[in-house]
């Protein structure tokens, strides 16, 4: 881990025609020279790599921070240092492309990194990424309808675990659509409901819903 920055920079510079995808944990445990444990910030490492790379090389890299700490302030830090954020935890196989593709497409909008060879396989893969990008707003809209019905039926009171799962799904899908500063206030409001679902849920949900509608209109 201590030599990771130098390794990545050297590797990228040795492959000037390639593109690179990094997923880095935020909290990296290492042993120092005295065999003492210390924790290194993965997002700071990514930030250092980006600063040290020449601009043309940095443009060929997309780096995502993976962390269990997903408060609005934490996410704001991650996306200021890297290109995106995903929650730490298992991702279902059928959700991998849905989670990663929007971040990749946001970094490389033309998908030229995939299709520029003109090969039939490359074109097909680029098309698939675009389809995943389109499907996520639909997933968010569907999740919002589910949560709206849940609140109206008091699911947050009768089945808190299920309700929290629905809110976490919404949060994950929102971050996949647009992992930048505009999403931070919404994530913060969702976290507040998750922390205290019994207090003014309806009013706070309507505020979230209105903000999410604004994000979807720009997606």
């Amino acid at each position: 881990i201590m030599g990771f920055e130098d390794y990545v920079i050297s590797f990228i510079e040795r492959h000037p025609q390639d593109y690179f995808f990094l997923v880095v944990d935020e909290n990296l445990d290492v042993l120092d020279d005295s065999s003492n444990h210390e924790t290194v910030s993965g997002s700071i490492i990514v930030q250092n790599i980006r600063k040290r790379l020449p601009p043309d090389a940095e443009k060929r890299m997309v780096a995502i921070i993976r962390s269990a700490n997903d408060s609005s302030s934490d996410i704001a830090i991650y996306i200021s240092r890297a290109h995106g954020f995903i929650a730490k935890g298992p991702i279902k196989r059928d959700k991998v492309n849905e989670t990663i593709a929007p971040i990749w497409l946001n970094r490389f909008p033309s998908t030229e990194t995939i299709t520029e060879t003109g090969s039939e396989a490359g074109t097909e893969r680029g098309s698939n990424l675009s389809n995943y990008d389109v499907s996520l707003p639909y997933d968010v809209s569907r999740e919002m309808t589910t949560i709206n019905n849940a609140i109206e039926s008091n699911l947050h009171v009768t089945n808190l675990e299920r309700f929290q799962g629905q809110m976490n799904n919404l949060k994950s899908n929102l971050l996949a659509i647009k992992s930048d500063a505009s999403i931070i206030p919404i994530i913060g409001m969702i976290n507040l409901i998750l922390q205290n679902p019994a207090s003014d849920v309806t009013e706070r949900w309507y505020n979230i819903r209105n903000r999410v509608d604004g994000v979807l209109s720009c997606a």
Side-chain angles (χ1 to χ4, degrees):
I1 292 174
M2 301 305 291
F4 183 65
E5 286 183 31
D6 292 336
Y7 176 82
V8 171
I9 291 169
S10 175
F11 192 82
I12 291 176
E13 290 180 337
R14 292 200 313 269
H15 299 81
Q17 304 302 319
D18 296 328
Y19 287 75
F20 301 89
F21 178 66
L22 277 67
V23 179
V24 183
D25 275 4
E26 170 57 15
N27 297 313
L28 303 171
D29 293 328
V30 298
L31 290 174
D32 62 19
D33 294 336
S34 302
S35 296
N36 296 316
H37 284 277
E38 80 177 275
T39 300
V40 177
S41 167
S43 62
I44 289 180
I45 289 177
V46 168
Q47 185 180 49
N48 291 341
I49 291 171
R50 295 180 66 193
K51 287 180 177 179
R52 290 175 57 189
L53 281 171
D56 287 345
E58 196 275 338
K59 288 179 181 179
R60 295 185 286 108
M61 178 186 76
V62 55
I64 298 174
I65 301 303
R66 179 174 173 265
S67 177
N69 301 320
D70 60 355
S71 70
S72 56
S73 57
D74 286 328
I75 294 172
I77 291 172
Y78 304 149
I79 63 178
S80 72
R81 297 171 177 170
H83 303 111
F85 161 80
I86 57 174
K88 189 170 185 176
I91 301 176
K92 293 181 180 179
R93 180 180 298 179
D94 61 348
K95 292 291 184 180
V96 171
N97 283 333
E98 286 189 9
T99 301
I100 301 303
I103 300 173
W104 180 277
L105 290 169
N106 185 57
R107 180 68 169 156
F108 308 116
S110 66
T111 66
E112 61 188 9
T113 61
I114 296 172
T115 61
E116 65 181 0
T117 61
S119 68
E120 184 177 347
T123 303
E124 181 179 351
R125 283 186 292 166
S127 175
N128 286 342
L129 285 177
S130 297
N131 288 339
Y132 283 118
D133 194 40
V134 170
S135 72
L136 275 167
Y138 171 76
D139 289 341
V140 169
S141 296
R142 183 176 57 186
E143 198 68 52
M144 286 175 61
T145 300
T146 300
I147 294 173
N148 206 64
N149 293 337
I151 290 175
E152 290 179 355
S153 62
N154 277 336
L155 185 69
H156 58 289
V157 176
T158 60
N159 194 334
L160 179 58
E161 183 176 352
R162 183 179 174 189
F163 175 73
Q164 288 175 328
Q166 292 171 348
M167 294 296 290
N168 278 315
N169 286 340
L170 174 63
K171 183 165 64 172
S172 297
N173 283 331
L174 283 170
L175 286 167
I177 287 178
K178 198 168 188 181
S179 184
D180 63 20
S182 67
I183 212 74
I184 299 303
I186 301 175
I187 300 302
M189 288 187 286
I190 291 175
N191 285 337
L192 286 175
I193 287 183
L194 288 169
Q195 293 165 10
N196 187 10
S199 176
D200 301 325
V201 168
T202 302
E203 182 178 346
R204 287 188 289 170
W205 168 246
Y206 286 154
N207 194 5
I208 291 172
R209 192 175 66 182
N210 289 337
R211 286 176 178 258
V212 171
D213 285 341
V215 170
L216 293 181
S217 67
C218 300

